[in-house]
């Protein structure tokens, strides 16, 4: 499976369609949460995804500082199949890309059920739990400078 990193303008129509379908299938349909998935941030994002001949299997977007938070942020972290390590793989790729871009920290709003997933990657909770679109979330941050050399291997 190949890791692809592209700005919005470089996505092919098929890639954009697959990305949006995957995001809607999970965040809107599976989670039964009607919300505006197309939030206007995709054109400024870097899009990272794992793809093979059968299509896109995992995805996230990396937003620059100042777009969603003061720091850079990751969002829309999703994988087509669970239990295969693809979510972990795409998350670590996003963290590594943020490091190579020189971002000192990443901020996210994690769904409560995924807090442990992000904590295993080094994120820590930085505020109180809140509801967004009826789903409990927690604000979390990862200080990239504190990661050391261990993440540079990815």
């Amino acid at each position: 499976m190949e890791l692809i990193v592209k700005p919005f303008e470089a996505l092919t129509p098929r890639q954009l369609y697959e990305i949006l379908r995957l995001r809607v299938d999970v965040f809107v349909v599976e989670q039964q949460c009607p919300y505006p998935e197309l939030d206007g941030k995709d054109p400024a994002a870097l899009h990272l995804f794992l793809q093979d001949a059968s299509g896109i299997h995992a995805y996230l977007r990396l937003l620059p500082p100042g777009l969603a938070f003061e720091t850079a942020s990751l969002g829309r972290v999703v994988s087509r199949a669970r239990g295969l390590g693809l979510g972990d793989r795409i998350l670590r790729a996003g963290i590594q890309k943020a490091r190579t871009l020189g971002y000192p920290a990443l901020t996210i709003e994690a769904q409560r059920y995924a807090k442990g997933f992000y904590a295993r990657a080094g994120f820590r909770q930085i505020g109180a739990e809140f509801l967004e679109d009826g789903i409990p979330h927690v604000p979390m941050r990862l200080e990239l400078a504190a990661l050391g050399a261990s993440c540079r291997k990815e």
Side-chain angles (χ1 to χ4, degrees):
M1 200 155 318
E2 181 182 7
L3 172 67
I4 310 239
V5 179
K6 289 185 172 185
F8 183 78
E9 297 78 17
L11 294 170
T12 68
R14 180 172 298 281
Q15 288 169 333
L16 180 58
Y17 176 82
E18 284 190 48
I19 288 165
L20 294 176
R21 182 173 181 183
L22 178 59
R23 288 173 18 182
V24 168
D25 283 351
V26 172
F27 298 124
V28 178
V29 177
E30 181 181 306
Q31 295 182 356
Q32 299 178 2
C33 183
Y35 76 102
E37 170 56 24
L38 301 178
D39 61 3
K41 295 176 183 168
D42 287 314
L46 270 181
H47 301 269
L48 289 77
F49 50 97
L50 296 172
Q51 179 179 351
D52 66 13
S54 68
I56 294 174
H57 295 274
Y59 167 86
L60 68 71
R61 69 181 183 184
L62 173 59
L63 299 176
L67 190 58
F69 302 100
E70 184 178 310
T71 70
S73 63
L74 299 177
R76 305 300 200 264
V77 181
V78 63
S79 64
R80 180 179 294 164
R82 291 166 180 87
L84 302 176
L86 297 177
D88 184 63
R89 187 171 163 196
I90 197 69
L91 177 61
R92 295 206 179 274
I95 292 168
Q96 181 58 30
K97 186 62 180 177
R99 285 178 62 84
T100 64
L101 291 171
Y103 297 148
L106 290 167
T107 303
I108 63 171
E109 291 178 340
Q111 292 185 8
R112 179 177 57 197
Y113 83 89
K115 180 181 172 183
F117 169 73
Y118 292 107
R120 285 189 297 279
F123 285 86
R124 64 176 178 79
Q125 188 169 339
I126 57 169
E129 185 176 299
F130 63 96
L131 284 179
E132 183 171 322
D133 300 315
I135 297 173
H137 284 71
V138 291
M140 301 182 82
R141 179 167 294 144
L142 175 64
E143 300 297 335
L144 296 172
L147 289 179
S150 64
C151 286
R152 293 188 193 136
K153 297 176 186 172
E154 299 285 328

